[in-house]
Amino acid sequence: MTQQGVRWTADQVLALAPDAASRKAGSRLGGAGPWSETGSSGEGTVWGLCKGSGSKPYQTVVDIADTAGPAYKCSCPSRKFPCKHALGLLLLWAGGDDGVPDAQAPEWAEQWIAGRRQRSEQKRTAGTAPARSGDPEAARRRAEKRAERVTAGAVELEQRLADLLRSGLATAEQDGYALWEETAARMVDAQAPGLAARVRELGAIPSSGSGWPVRLLEECALIHLLDQGWLRREQLPEALAATVRSRIGLPAAATGPAVRDRWLVLAQYDTADGHLTTRRIWLHGEASEGTVLLLSYGAAGRAPALALPVGLALDAEVSSYSGAGQLRADLVEQFAPPAPTAVRPGGVSTAQAVERYGEALRHDPWLESWPVTLDGVIPTPDGDGWQLADADGKSALSLEASAQSGSRLWRLVAVSGGAPVTVFGECGHRGFTPLAVWPEGPGEPVPLC
């Protein structure tokens, strides 16, 4: 097969699952039993019929070579992307030629593939045409009106914070969550979703256990800093002002120059808040040696559209967003399907990881974490928790609470087996969250999320 038919590993397939239930259901369909008429082409497509509960099997096809990440089509009624049938088909394909041999696509698969290719070409051609500009004066007036609303919301929020401090932090525990939810709703009305999200987090702190007054005061200080940054944005350096606008929740576009590189997919995971599912994808440039973050969104109950296989590399262009210390970027164009690579990001010690996070906070005080790769660390028990200790024993970094149990921890421990490993993750004030691990010697990263 051509490069577009490079087989993925089972871990890379399961990393595409929108949730744990889909991962489990897809794994059950990863054998040949329910499948018939399976095949794959050198153009990067996989198809097959999967027997379901009805009289007709489900028609499933996956376009692995799609320039925006794998694309899926299944005749099942599931609203998840990929559905369990697409995951099962990819797992069968990952197992080798016996399960999914080279073949000519059937008509039903060929029609969908041809349609996708045509739409992709039309989109690419349209992207080269000059964009039509709207009414700039109308856009300016809309921006000014929204800025006025945000300013009114920031002033109101400052008053709420002052009232809290005047009456004492203990009143936050008595008032409960309702007061903060009402305040968050006011920030939504002010078109400041970033402020609304931070205010909602305040409501949960009084019930978060011992030491909550300190945590509440810290979060109030960060919100106050963001409020003041907005109210004095015209006095800030442009890069910091852009960061403030982003943290407030104002829309922005990737305006940086397109950077073409082979981008290793380091990690991919989803978070949900009841209204929106956010997918975070970390990429590492082989030549640029930079790390960028792709964000993709889906409505509640639906997985985001963009999905990339962890451990493979993309020949692609990305464009960055403005802002002080910002790593977010958009995937502009992908020139080839994902392919294996032996390149790993350069690693640092646990002490250096903390230093990098501290340096990043200078540019963005509201930053929760910073991506780093730890080199030569060993997962080690630490009292009731776990830490990643440097092999030389000089320093260690505690794992974040959510990473201290479950399959993520035990997979990390199993890959290590007591030996030093390379770990990519996010280093923040709550500890280190491991997202991928490399064993000693050559090999692709093992996803941990």
Side-chain angles (χ1 to χ4, degrees):
M1 299 181 69
T2 69
Q3 185 190 46
Q4 292 163 330
V6 171
R7 305 276 172 166
W8 301 352
T9 66
D11 283 337
Q12 288 164 345
V13 171
L14 292 176
L16 301 175
D19 52 41
S22 298
R23 191 177 298 113
K24 184 176 181 179
S27 297
R28 289 198 295 264
L29 295 175
W35 292 97
S36 61
E37 299 184 29
T38 58
S40 62
S41 75
E43 295 182 350
T45 53
V46 185
W47 60 85
L49 302 178
C50 186
K51 182 175 175 55
S53 57
S55 58
K56 292 184 178 180
Y58 295 121
Q59 297 176 338
T60 308
V61 57
V62 182
D63 184 1
I64 303 163
D66 188 270
T67 56
Y72 317 93
K73 172 67 175 179
C74 185
S75 58
C76 76
S78 175
R79 296 178 62 192
K80 296 180 179 180
F81 294 94
C83 67
K84 63 181 181 180
H85 305 103
L87 289 170
L89 177 61
L90 285 177
L91 286 172
L92 186 64
W93 168 73
D97 292 332
D98 292 341
V100 183
D102 293 350
Q104 178 66 39
E107 183 179 358
W108 58 268
E110 187 61 46
Q111 289 179 350
W112 180 78
I113 294 168
R116 283 203 62 81
R117 296 284 189 267
Q118 183 179 4
R119 289 191 294 272
S120 295
E121 179 61 24
Q122 290 173 346
K123 184 177 180 181
R124 187 191 66 79
T125 303
T128 62
R132 295 182 179 178
S133 58
D135 184 349
E137 180 60 24
R140 184 190 63 80
R141 289 196 300 268
R142 288 194 299 269
E144 286 182 351
K145 192 170 184 178
R146 179 168 187 175
E148 291 173 0
R149 291 195 183 106
V150 174
T151 297
V155 171
E156 179 180 346
L157 183 53
E158 285 289 277
Q159 185 60 53
R160 292 288 179 101
L161 294 176
D163 291 344
L164 172 64
L165 296 179
R166 188 179 301 109
S167 58
L169 296 180
T171 59
E173 191 172 27
Q174 300 167 4
D175 293 336
Y177 190 78
L179 175 64
W180 295 113
E181 183 59 35
E182 177 191 348
T183 304
R186 295 285 294 168
M187 296 305 104
V188 172
D189 293 341
Q191 294 185 289
L195 286 177
R198 287 188 169 271
V199 168
R200 287 194 181 96
E201 291 177 359
L202 291 181
I205 292 178
S207 59
S208 62
S210 176
W212 68 262
V214 174
R215 293 192 293 275
L216 180 61
L217 187 60
E218 289 174 346
E219 290 303 317
C220 286
L222 286 172
I223 292 176
H224 169 69
L225 184 64
L226 184 55
D227 273 343
Q228 292 300 314
W230 171 261
L231 296 174
R232 292 171 169 80
R233 60 192 181 279
E234 294 180 355
Q235 303 172 28
L236 299 178
E238 177 53 36
L240 183 56
T243 298
V244 168
R245 290 193 294 268
S246 173
R247 293 299 183 185
I248 288 287
L250 298 186
T255 57
V259 177
R260 183 171 180 175
D261 204 339
R262 276 176 54 82
W263 298 94
L264 170 63
V265 184
L266 292 170
Q268 172 179 290
Y269 67 94
D270 295 349
T271 56
D273 62 4
H275 304 284
L276 193 69
T277 298
T278 302
R279 174 164 294 164
R280 299 166 66 88
I281 304 176
W282 287 108
L283 304 179
H284 170 76
E286 293 184 5
S288 62
E289 298 185 351
T291 302
V292 299
L293 174 65
L294 306 182
L295 294 181
S296 182
Y297 301 96
R302 295 185 68 92
L306 182 61
L308 299 174
V310 174
L312 299 184
L314 316 172
D315 178 7
E317 284 184 343
V318 303
S319 177
S320 61
Y321 284 72
S322 61
Q326 295 296 300
L327 296 180
R328 186 184 173 189
D330 272 351
L331 183 62
V332 178
E333 184 174 359
Q334 184 178 330
F335 301 99
T341 179
V343 173
R344 300 183 184 184
V348 299
S349 67
T350 56
Q352 290 171 322
V354 175
E355 290 176 3
R356 291 194 176 187
Y357 175 53
E359 180 67 23
L361 284 174
R362 292 179 54 198
H363 303 288
D364 184 355
W366 307 278
L367 192 66
E368 291 289 328
S369 60
W370 189 255
V372 291
T373 300
L374 301 177
D375 187 35
V377 292
I378 303 173
T380 308
D382 178 31
D384 295 332
W386 283 78
Q387 62 182 5
L388 291 173
D390 291 329
D392 59 14
K394 291 183 178 180
S395 62
L397 193 55
S398 296
L399 293 184
E400 197 270 334
S402 64
Q404 299 255 5
S405 61
S407 60
R408 175 182 299 187
L409 173 64
W410 300 120
R411 178 174 276 198
L412 173 62
V413 172
V415 171
S416 167
V421 290
T422 300
V423 183
F424 170 77
E426 297 173 353
C427 181
H429 61 94
R430 296 186 179 92
F432 185 83
T433 303
L435 301 175
V437 56
W438 289 262
E440 284 189 305
E444 296 173 347
V446 177
L448 299 176
C449 53

